[in-house]
Each structure stands twice: as structure tokens, then as C-alpha cells.
Amino acid sequence: MIPFNKPYITGKEIGYITDAVNTGKISGNGKYTRLAQTFFEQKYGIKKALLTTSCTDALEMCALLLEIQPGDEVIMPSYTFVSTANAFMLRGAKIVFTDSRIDHPGMDEDTVESLITQKTKAIVVVHYAGVACDMDRIMELADRYGITVVEDAAHSINSFYSSKKGTRTPLGSIGHLATFSFHETKNISSGEGGLLAINDERYAYRAEIIWEKGTNRASFFRGEVNKYGWVDLGSSFLPSEVTAAFLWAQLEQLDDIQSKRIQIWERYYRHLSGKVEKFGIRLPSIPDFAMNNGHMFYLIASDDNQRDYLLQSLKKAGILAVFHYLSLHKSDFFCHKHDGRELAAADLYTDNLVRLPLYYELTEDQQTEVIGHVLRALELVNA
Ligand SMILES: *Cc1c(COP(=O)(O)O)cnc(C)c1O
């Protein structure tokens, strides 16, 4: 059996967790939380990083920080995870979905401007598979219309955007706010976990308060105030030191994990390109302003029959390949709230995308088996 994903354990996790337990401080915002936050601030130039219990929580913090009110509009792609939308709907926002690009499942930047109204408060971009959206264009629009940009960077650790000016900027450091995920399905994991990146100083002070249940407890512990109390809305968004200690073991091995995943990705690409196209299948295409961070390898089948056939025949061979998002504008919960615009590319990825196994411990033999089965299945059906 080859699973779709296998969470990777570096071997240092238990040691760091034991250390956290032995210090006697296992609630949040201790040594390991600070190590992890500083890592993101220094490596990626994020102004202020706050660990959260999930990317979902970090997105909910964004909605609180932006003071989203009922009726405010938030633009985001339909082809994304439910949390991207839920976080803002919880505050009463009206979600305005964009289509995906033709060449890539990420947001179609061309359509964003036409969706902006007086009520638009935020644009949430999703760097699908860790592949950047065109951030120069999005930031220019946001500037011009006075809108805030949130990057849902759940897939995007250690990925970069190349600006036309020639600069290479880490994803998650460009938008006013950004969110990362350390769910076990992501490149770096703490089981459940996430991080809020604050790149616009205006949000830094309130972010820490919202994070600490609406209190100025963090200021108190730094000795900036002599008592702490209830000063704003908030919730319990910070993870325990046990989670942070686990995460620290993973972050220490980031470079190794990334290079292994990219190596697997590139091997899929090399062995499938030139062979699957004659069956109408497309391989991932990466716009020239983006790069691949080895988060996900996918194929785009020519239709849903071919996609389902591929999933089934791989399953029979003991290989778990999976489809991905179901476009949110057609979901049971949202279809009656959608404004009726057709989002054809999002629907195409919903119906036709297949993700192949990709995890640190996938061996070369196993990968050869996956590649062989994909090619054999395609040849059989056309024989
Ligand atoms: C995984 C994911 C999330 C949610 O992450 P959690 O850490 O599980 O809350 C949000 N957005 C996208 C695009 C994701 O892939």
C-alpha cells in the first residue's frame, strides 16, 4: 500500500516535548513558541509572527483584525479550502468568489478588479500548491482601492514570488497579513498548527491582544504594563508549548524536508512529461513569477471520467491518489448565496485534478511504482 500522505517525524520531536514538559511551562507563548516565531521573522522577513492552533484560527484572527462587519465584501478564489471563506463569513462578510487561472488552480488575477466595490474590505489570495499568485498585481490593486490583502499561505512555506523589479520575496511576507498551516498534510507539521504573519505594523499590537483572549497579557509579561485585563475582542488562539516544541523539531529540518519534497516532485515531472499529454492530461505549470516548493504534485485529467478511472485503477493497485477542493461556490452551504457567475476553471479543477502521493519517506521504488501504474492505466484504457 502506498498512502497519499505520511506525516514525517524528524526524531527530535519527543526530546523537545520532554524539554518543554520539564521546564514546567507547557501553556502557550514560552520558549518553543518564541523560537518558532523568531524563525519565521528572521528567515522570511515577517514583521511579527504569532503561532496559532491552526491556519483556520489564523484566518479567523485576520477577520477580527480587519474588523469585518456584516455586509463587508471579501474577494477570494472559489477553488480553496472551506476555512478561507468560513473565517470571514463568521464575522458576517459576503464572500465574492473569483475563478481560477486557466494554466493554474490559483486565483485568476485578471478578474479581481471587476469584482471590487465600495464594500470590498479584503482580497484573500491562496497560493495553491505553494505556487505564488501574481502579488505585484494584487498589491497594486489593493493600494489603489485601499483594500487589505491576506495571503492564505497554508501550502506556501519556503516559497517565493519573483517581482518584475527582480526581487524575490518569500510568500507570507507580502500581504498585509498572511496565514500558514502546520496540519499533518502540509510540508512542515505539528499535527494541527498554524501561524499568523503580520507584515503591516498597524495590526501588530491588536493581533497580540486578540491572540491572548482579548487581554494585554503579552504586554504584561514583557513588563510594559503593571496589570493585565480585558481590552478588546479576542479568543484562545495560541497553541501549547507541546505543539510548539514538536513544530520546532520540524522547522530545524526545513531545508532537508524541502529539498527531498522538491526532488520527488521533479522526478514525477521528468518521468511523466512527454508521456501523459497524448492522453489529454496536463502536468502542473508554474507561472514565471512563481516557483515550486514541493508541496503537491498533481495531474489535470481531460475530464471527470478519466480522473475517476485513474483514481480507481491506482486504488486497485494499492496506491492512494486523491482529488482536491470542491469549488466553494457550488457547495451545499454556499450555492444559494453565490451570485450566479460561472466559474468554469474552478469547476474544471474540481472535476479533473488528481494528486499523487508525495511525502518525505516516499522511496524511489514506490515512486517508480506510482509512475508505472499511472502510465499503464492510461495505456490500457486507450488500447
Ligand atoms: C490546510 C488549509 C487550510 C487550513 O489549515 P488548518 O491548519 O488545517 O486550519 C486553510 N487554507 C488552505 C488553502 C489549506 O490548504
Side-chain angles (χ1 to χ4, degrees):
M1 235 275 295
I2 301 178
F4 169 67
N5 180 47
K6 181 169 181 248
Y8 173 58
I9 309 296
T10 70
K12 292 265 189 80
E13 288 83 354
I14 300 292
Y16 290 151
I17 288 172
T18 306
D19 180 50
V21 171
N22 288 340
T23 62
K25 189 186 183 302
I26 51 171
S27 62
N29 202 7
K31 166 178 146 190
Y32 287 102
T33 297
R34 281 192 291 275
L35 278 170
Q37 290 176 173
T38 306
F39 180 94
F40 274 83
E41 288 165 359
Q42 290 181 348
K43 191 168 170 82
Y44 302 120
I46 286 163
K47 295 249 169 58
K48 186 180 181 64
L50 292 174
L51 277 195
T52 57
T53 49
S54 64
C55 180
T56 303
D57 266 359
L59 287 161
E60 287 178 22
M61 286 184 72
C62 293
L64 284 164
L65 276 169
L66 300 186
E67 299 182 89
I68 297 293
Q69 306 292 322
D72 288 345
E73 295 178 9
V74 178
I75 297 172
M76 65 178 67
S78 172
Y79 194 72
T80 182
F81 190 58
V82 290
S83 294
T84 321
N86 262 330
F88 295 89
M89 279 194 80
L90 278 167
R91 311 302 308 163
K94 178 182 164 204
I95 308 296
V96 180
F97 285 121
T98 75
D99 206 353
S100 294
R101 293 168 63 107
I102 302 291
D103 63 343
H104 187 268
M107 168 187 255
D108 180 2
E109 298 90 348
D110 285 343
T111 59
V112 175
E113 185 166 10
S114 67
L115 300 173
I116 294 173
T117 73
Q118 291 287 329
K119 293 183 175 159
T120 306
K121 266 290 196 60
I123 301 170
V124 186
V125 302
V126 180
H127 306 297
Y128 185 82
V131 173
C133 293
D134 191 345
M135 291 309 289
D136 279 352
R137 290 188 63 189
I138 299 292
M139 296 312 288
E140 187 277 320
L141 275 178
D143 247 21
R144 187 143 48 87
Y145 288 93
I147 299 169
T148 309
V149 173
V150 177
E151 298 175 73
D152 180 340
H155 303 173
S156 312
I157 192 166
N158 216 56
S159 196
F160 295 81
Y161 171 72
S162 303
S163 161
K164 284 196 192 68
K165 289 172 237 136
T167 50
R168 199 162 165 273
T169 321
L171 301 189
S173 74
I174 306 167
H176 303 87
L177 298 167
T179 64
F180 289 89
S181 174
F182 311 120
H183 185 262
E184 71 169 26
T185 52
K186 308 298 189 326
N187 290 23
I188 298 293
S189 156
S190 55
E192 303 280 352
L195 181 138
L196 173 67
I198 300 127
N199 299 312
D200 182 333
E201 308 273 12
R202 277 182 302 163
Y203 299 111
Y205 179 67
R206 261 192 92 220
E208 207 173 50
I209 287 167
I210 289 169
W211 190 58
E212 281 269 29
K213 297 117 181 152
T215 72
N216 52 354
R217 190 165 177 271
S219 305
F220 173 72
F221 279 114
R222 282 195 299 265
E224 295 162 6
V225 291
N226 57 14
K227 59 183 170 39
Y228 77 88
W230 188 13
V231 295
D232 201 337
L233 281 179
S235 189
S236 184
F237 288 118
L238 68 171
S240 88
E241 277 292 289
V242 176
T243 298
F246 191 105
L247 182 67
W248 179 242
Q250 301 255 318
L251 288 174
E252 273 192 332
Q253 220 175 300
L254 175 75
D255 290 345
D256 172 43
I257 293 172
Q258 289 301 106
S259 69
K260 188 70 191 271
R261 294 185 70 106
I262 290 170
Q263 192 189 328
I264 295 171
W265 194 102
E266 287 176 345
R267 190 156 180 267
Y268 270 134
Y269 196 92
R270 260 196 329 275
H271 289 263
L272 292 168
S273 85
K275 301 209 176 96
V276 294
E277 292 85 350
K278 62 173 177 288
F279 302 107
I281 288 179
R282 280 199 283 148
L283 293 177
S285 110
I286 296 174
D288 52 10
F289 51 74
M291 62 163 270
N292 161 41
N293 74 339
H295 177 58
M296 187 197 302
F297 191 88
Y298 61 84
L299 305 171
I300 303 161
S302 54
D303 58 30
D304 55 337
N305 284 328
Q306 188 192 43
R307 193 268 301 266
D308 294 343
Y309 163 77
L310 260 178
L311 292 180
Q312 283 310 315
S313 49
L314 286 166
K315 196 170 169 194
K316 274 191 217 131
I319 297 164
L320 284 184
V322 293
F323 56 87
H324 206 192
Y325 301 133
L326 306 176
S327 26
L328 296 181
H329 73 287
K330 287 208 170 154
S331 62
D332 285 350
F333 180 63
F334 200 87
C335 61
H336 301 294
K337 300 176 180 72
H338 181 60
D339 56 26
R341 277 172 303 119
E342 206 187 321
L343 304 176
D347 291 340
L348 182 133
Y349 298 116
T350 299
D351 292 339
N352 299 358
L353 192 133
V354 183
R355 294 182 292 160
L356 299 181
L358 199 173
Y359 49 88
Y360 185 92
E361 289 172 271
L362 185 73
T363 65
E364 217 171 287
D365 285 351
Q366 287 175 316
Q367 200 186 3
T368 304
E369 201 180 320
V370 178
I371 293 163
H373 274 291
V374 168
L375 295 174
R376 262 196 303 284
L378 291 171
E379 270 151 23
L380 271 177
V381 79
N382 284 274

